[in-house]
Amino acid sequence: MRKLIVILIALSATFSAVNLANTCGDKTMRVGRGLRFHQLQAAKNPSSILIYAPALPEGKASRLKDFLKAVGHKANTFDDVDRLSEDLKAGQYDLVLTNLAAAANVRKQLASLSPKTVVVPVTFKQPKSDEAAAAMQYKVIVKNPKYAEDFLPAVIQVMKSRSKKV
């Protein structure tokens, strides 16, 4: 009887250890490229990015700014579209990340102050019709970003199009 109890305890410990080993997070890791790859891309085409903070969920703008700086881009945030002209006078920016609602206003301000700066709208769960209309209006759009890395293809696309024009 003792042997049976010892075997049952050993089996239950083994099965619980197997379950713990399967939930260590290896399945939830995001498959993609690491920071070094992104740093190499940024070294080829460094950019200066202005981020409209209210366009992103609470607290995400500062994290995105820190990530872009770690990658090798220059990034700043702004909180008010009306004060955008002051930020543009202070520095030259390659692109401005903003939400779809403010994109038209930002684009209008950029036309006179900095015509080479590209407006990149960020959409979160927009209807397909709105996304289609935005795709016709803007060359580059960031659709439903979940991670900071989701912004990098848009940055790369803008910088590659700039390097072709030069």
Side-chain angles (χ1 to χ4, degrees), residues 33-43 67 70-71:
R33 298 181 172 131
L35 188 62
R36 287 186 185 167
F37 175 80
H38 296 307
Q39 288 172 338
L40 291 173
Q41 290 289 333
F67 173 76
V71 168

Side-chain angles (χ1 to χ4, degrees), residues 49-70 74-80 97-99 122 124 145-148 151:
I49 303 166
L50 192 56
I51 304 165
Y52 180 48
L56 301 176
E58 187 74 27
K60 299 288 183 177
S62 62
R63 288 184 189 171
L64 177 61
K65 180 178 87 168
D66 294 341
F67 173 76
L68 291 171
K69 284 184 177 182
K74 295 178 184 173
N76 286 321
T77 59
F78 69 103
D79 295 326
D80 189 14
L97 294 171
T98 183
N99 58 0
V122 180
F124 290 98
K146 293 181 182 176
Y147 305 101
F151 291 90

